[in-house]
């Protein structure tokens, strides 16, 4: 089954084509083409993602990225322009005039590519950004008569571990990325921090989540307090690294909100406020910043580990999956690798390029959703859902 996947939930415009086989028993994925355009530079001066700018960038970039991806996958062939429901497409893309223009100029000349499904992220994320991708996918589905599969972005992050970056994943691999159920997924990104129990394929239960800020958001906000550029996660992590292996006394003594609460929920805003007060009257030289970065990172590792252990203990978990942009953090990776070895847990972490938002993971989730619903969704019923939850 070949899938064309589209992701525009935040500040990455991404399109991929992949092939899945093996069904639920033995899923394998082969990447055919993949392109991603990050908007980080566009948003940097605002210190965060600016929704209307994200929407504008997606509108501008989707058609060129589509062409590039199809070309890369040997799926780009020209055709005589035929009538293809132009009026309906004008309606669908009414609110994205720039996208409509480039769509009408380019897509009618492209022959229907040999893909079985189009998968698109419909939430959670920034609604203006999600709508661009959804409307684009609807227009393509209509123009080419290819069924459309709406995908939950968080499901994408979880299932991204099934792609090992080696073409047909799992095929001859000694360490196949097999999910053994029940599995637990720790999702840590700029917008989410949640522990999701997966009893079987496509069955999710959120058993813990942040009550306020997401982990990535905390990294970004603390970086901002210390005048570090956006996104703050990698900056904090770089600074903290300069203090690893060096003897020094913890001077900040940071709190760990909710660490002993009788549930698997998280809270990071108290930690952020505490740091704000602690640095208020300090001379923020590089040494102080680095020390704070290290203590903050250690505190986060501690909280994430403690809550994950609690969730594992309660549910007889066999596989631990960690996904989302924050797992690019070396210390967090290391801590969970050590923990899983000790506990003899099957740990699955996506390869580096799949930690941030991408379309490969949307294609993988789309594959399973298409197995469950081979006809695809009614395109009129698909809407952006900014706060979509896994169920
Ligand atoms: O999943 P993601 O790409 O986007 C969404 O939020 O959906 O995650 C981005 C987040 C940002 O908050 C960024 O600061 C954080 O991941 N991040 C990191 C690191 N690299 C990215 N946080 C800590 N350490 C890192 N090395
Ligand atoms: Zn994400």
């Amino acid at each position: 089954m070949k899938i064309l996947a589209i992701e525009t939930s935040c500040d990455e415009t991404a399109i991929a084509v992949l092939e899945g086989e093996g069904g639920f028993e033995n899923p394998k994925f082969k990447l055919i083409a993949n392109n991603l355009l990050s908007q980080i530079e566009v948003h940097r001066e605002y210190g965060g993602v600016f929704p209307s700018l994200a929407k504008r960038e997606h509108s501008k970039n989707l058609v060129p990225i589509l062409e590039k991806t199809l070309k890369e996958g040997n799926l780009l062939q020209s055709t005589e322009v035929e009538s293809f429901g132009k009026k309906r497409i004008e309606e669908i893309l009414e609110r994205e005039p720039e996208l409509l223009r480039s769509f009408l100029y380019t897509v009618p000349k492209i022959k229907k590519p040999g893909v079985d499904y189009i998968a698109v992220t419909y939430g959670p994320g920034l609604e203006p950004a999600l709508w661009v991708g959804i409307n684009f996918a609807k227009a393509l589905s209509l123009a080419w008569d290819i069924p459309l599969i709406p995908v939950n972005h968080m499901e994408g992050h979880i299932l991204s571990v099934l792609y090992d970056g080696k073409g047909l994943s799992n095929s001859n691999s000694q360490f196949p990325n097999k999910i053994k159920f029940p599995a637990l997924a720790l999702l840590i990104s700029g917008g989410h921090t949640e522990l999701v129990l997966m009893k079987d394929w496509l069955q999710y239960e959120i058993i813990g989540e942040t009550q306020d800020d997401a982990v990535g958001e905390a990294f970004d906000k603390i970086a901002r307090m210390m005048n570090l550029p956006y996104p703050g996660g990698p900056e904090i992590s770089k600074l903290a690294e300069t203090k690893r292996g060096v003897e020094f006394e913890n001077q900040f003594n940071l709190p760990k909100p909710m660490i002993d609460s009788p549930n698997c929920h998280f809270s990071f805003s108290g930690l952020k406020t505490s740091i704000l007060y602690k640095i208020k009257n300090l001379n923020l030289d590089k040494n102080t910043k680095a020390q704070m970065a290290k203590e903050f990172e250690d505190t986060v590792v501690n909280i994430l580990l403690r809550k994950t252990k609690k969730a594992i203990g309660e549910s007889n978990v066999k596989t631990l999956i960690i996904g989302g942009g924050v797992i690019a953090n070396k210390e967090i990776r290391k801590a969970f690798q050590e923990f899983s070895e000790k506990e003899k847990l099957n740990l699955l972490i996506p390869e580096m390029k799949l930690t941030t938002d991408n379309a490969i993971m949307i294609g993988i989730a789309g594959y399973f959703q298409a197995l469950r619903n081979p006809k695809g969704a009614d395109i009129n019923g698909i809407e952006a859902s900014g706060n979509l939850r896994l169920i």
Side-chain angles (χ1 to χ4, degrees), residues 7 9-10 12 124 153-154 157 188-192 323-325 355-358 361:
E7 155 66 37
S9 68
C10 192
E12 256 98 27
H153 180 87
M154 303 316 285
H157 273 304
I188 42 179
S189 72
H192 290 85
T355 56
T356 53
D357 293 347
N358 62 82
M361 68 184 199

Side-chain angles (χ1 to χ4, degrees), residues 2 10 33-34 57 60 71 87 114 158 171-173 176 197 204 214 267 271 293-294 327 339 348 382:
K2 276 198 188 129
C10 192
N34 179 40
E57 290 297 304
K60 191 168 77 188
K71 195 164 172 199
K87 192 155 176 300
I158 296 177
S171 47
N172 297 312
S173 171
L197 186 65
Y204 306 100
S267 165
L271 175 57
K294 177 180 178 288
I327 196 56
F339 164 69
L348 301 178
I382 304 176

Side-chain angles (χ1 to χ4, degrees), residues 54-311:
K55 174 183 151 100
R56 193 190 72 189
E57 290 297 304
H58 291 313
S59 300
K60 191 168 77 188
N61 296 322
L62 275 169
V63 172
I65 295 181
L66 172 74
E67 264 190 296
K68 194 168 168 226
T69 309
L70 291 178
K71 195 164 172 199
E72 229 177 79
N74 273 331
L75 293 160
L76 187 69
Q77 285 176 34
S78 51
T79 181
E80 292 285 307
V81 179
E82 294 166 19
S83 79
F84 60 100
K86 183 170 171 227
K87 192 155 176 300
R88 185 76 182 93
I89 282 166
E90 280 172 344
E91 277 167 23
I92 290 174
L93 295 176
E94 194 183 3
R95 301 177 84 177
E96 284 88 31
E98 187 176 1
L99 177 57
L100 175 64
R101 228 174 300 124
S102 64
F103 189 101
L104 292 179
Y105 184 77
T106 307
V107 178
K109 291 181 242 166
I110 302 177
K111 192 172 167 202
K112 173 178 174 171
V115 299
D116 304 292
Y117 292 96
I118 296 172
V120 66
T121 307
Y122 75 110
L126 302 169
E127 288 202 356
L130 287 164
W131 270 119
V132 185
I134 292 171
N135 288 337
F136 180 60
K138 284 184 181 185
L140 286 178
S141 163
L142 211 79
W144 289 333
D145 191 23
I146 297 175
L148 189 56
I149 306 278
V151 169
N152 181 318
H153 180 87
M154 303 316 285
E155 180 168 51
H157 273 304
I158 296 177
L159 298 176
S160 68
V161 295
L162 292 172
Y163 177 65
D164 66 4
K166 297 186 194 116
L168 256 185
S169 77
N170 302 346
S171 47
N172 297 312
S173 171
Q174 276 186 293
F175 303 101
N177 290 354
K178 285 237 166 85
I179 301 178
K180 295 182 202 118
F181 299 107
L184 179 76
L186 170 67
L187 298 176
I188 42 179
S189 72
H192 290 85
T193 302
E194 50 195 38
L195 281 163
V196 183
L197 186 65
M198 206 178 158
K199 292 200 180 113
D200 205 340
W201 291 108
L202 312 187
Q203 283 178 28
Y204 306 100
E205 186 192 342
I206 300 177
I207 57 171
E209 62 191 315
T210 181
Q211 307 296 294
D212 38 61
D213 292 347
V215 192
E217 191 180 358
F219 268 97
D220 294 338
K221 285 181 175 167
I222 283 147
R224 203 166 167 177
M225 286 178 206
M226 300 201 290
N227 301 317
L228 300 169
Y230 172 84
E235 300 291 329
I236 297 257
S237 150
K238 255 188 278 170
L239 267 180
E241 208 170 330
T242 65
K243 289 284 173 194
R244 302 230 166 256
V246 184
E247 288 273 317
F248 70 92
E249 221 175 284
N250 271 5
Q251 62 163 321
F252 295 118
N253 221 340
L254 300 177
K256 299 186 187 81
M258 290 185 70
I259 190 102
D260 292 316
S261 66
N263 51 41
C264 297
H265 295 320
F266 304 88
S267 165
F268 293 100
S269 87
L271 175 57
K272 175 192 67 189
T273 313
S274 155
I275 293 179
L276 182 67
Y277 282 109
K278 284 180 200 287
I279 62 176
K280 210 164 63 178
N281 299 315
L282 282 183
N283 169 25
L284 275 180
D285 56 16
K286 190 164 177 214
N287 181 52
T288 312
K289 284 187 195 178
Q291 192 159 333
M292 178 57 92
K294 177 180 178 288
E295 285 194 33
F296 169 70
E297 201 173 63
D298 287 347
T299 306
V300 168
V301 167
N302 222 300
I303 297 172
L304 293 177
L305 265 178
R306 176 84 74 94
K307 293 292 175 173
T308 306
K309 275 183 203 169
K310 185 166 171 53

Side-chain angles (χ1 to χ4, degrees), residues 32-49:
I32 295 171
N34 179 40
N35 281 289
L36 183 147
L37 197 71
S38 166
Q39 302 172 4
I40 280 190
E41 292 310 321
V42 180
H43 297 282
R44 205 188 294 278
E45 65 176 294
Y46 301 91
V49 181

